[in-house]
Amino acid sequence: IDSNGTLTVNGGEIIIEGPENSGNGALDYNQSAVITGGTVAAFGFNGMAQNFGSDSTQCSILVSLSTTQAAGTKAFLTNASGDIIMEYTPSKSYNSILISTPDIKTGETYTLTAGAETASIEMTSTIYGSGMGSMGDRGGMGSHGGINPDEMTPDGSMPEGMRPGGGMKPDGTMPDGTMPDGSAWDGTFPKDTGNRNNHAYPQNDTNSKETGNNLN
């Protein structure tokens, strides 16, 4: 499920088998996601995994597994009495599981099993496991610098020769501080800096060196 704005679930049953790479999440939203009822089970990869937000009134669990489970590996959630709350067998590989049902309650403990891996979950609040989007301000491909997820390799990395966003090197490290002409940056800004990235830098007859003051 991909929402470029807000997402609300208030009933029904939704089963998601997401992409088999970390370039997208099984649940993907840009602003906020709220669940107040219904049943949701989402299986995908953890690189871009998101849970429902804290404004939800129904509990939701997001767990990142330590190993990738092969397609056809059953996952199930049980309560403290051993009763099965939810079970499903995805037809795709996965290492991230999101489950939300009306049977999950705060103050209770649950066990999530996927293949040979188990996780004990104590619901101290409505949302367990934040993923990358619990604040409702992240989602889509924004943190990847605008890279097309279809161009990523199955493990979510970038093909050889591609550059990540933000002026980084192809290996993901930051530049070494050299200027475009090859010279070293001397810590000063040009006199006619104007406005860079919505930050107004001081302008005077001499170059303005960066200080410890925050520029808002």
Side-chain angles (χ1 to χ4, degrees):
I1 294 181
D2 190 333
S3 171
N4 290 326
T6 61
L7 173 66
T8 301
V9 178
N10 54 27
E13 182 177 278
I14 301 172
I15 304 295
I16 306 169
E17 294 189 16
E20 294 176 279
N21 63 66
S22 290
N24 282 297
L27 186 68
D28 187 338
Y29 59 90
N30 282 346
Q31 296 181 18
S32 65
V34 172
I35 184 166
T36 60
T39 297
V40 175
F43 302 84
F45 273 61
N46 55 29
M48 298 284 284
Q50 293 181 276
N51 201 348
F52 288 99
S54 58
D55 289 337
S56 300
T57 58
Q58 177 171 294
C59 292
S60 182
I61 294 171
L62 176 65
V63 171
S64 178
L65 305 175
S66 61
T67 57
T68 297
Q69 303 299 312
T73 303
K74 181 170 70 173
F76 57 95
L77 182 72
T78 56
N79 60 19
S81 300
D83 301 321
I84 295 177
I85 302 298
M86 160 66 90
E87 63 178 338
Y88 186 73
T89 303
S91 61
K92 297 180 178 181
S93 60
Y94 62 94
N95 61 20
S96 173
I97 303 174
L98 181 150
I99 296 177
S100 179
T101 82
D103 295 323
I104 303 174
K105 307 293 185 183
T106 56
E108 300 292 331
T109 300
Y110 300 89
T111 300
L112 180 63
T113 302
E117 190 168 343
T118 61
S120 179
I121 299 160
E122 184 178 357
M123 296 300 297
T124 58
S125 63
T126 304
I127 303 300
Y128 179 94
S130 61
M132 62 153 288
S134 64
M135 297 303 291
D137 60 354
R138 301 174 67 186
M141 291 302 299
S143 63
H144 287 269
I147 297 167
N148 186 338
D150 292 333
E151 297 175 332
M152 302 181 77
T153 58
D155 64 355
S157 62
M158 290 172 291
E160 184 177 357
M162 288 189 64
R163 293 175 59 88
M168 298 172 70
K169 295 180 180 179
D171 63 359
T173 61
M174 293 299 293
D176 57 7
T178 57
M179 302 295 286
D181 62 359
S183 62
W185 182 58
D186 63 359
T188 64
F189 296 106
K191 286 187 290 185
D192 59 343
T193 53
N195 186 301
R196 286 196 182 97
N197 297 326
N198 296 323
H199 293 304
Y201 292 96
Q203 301 183 45
N204 48 42
D205 291 337
T206 60
N207 289 343
S208 300
K209 292 189 176 181
E210 185 179 21
T211 67
N213 295 329
N214 293 325
L215 299 175
N216 296 316

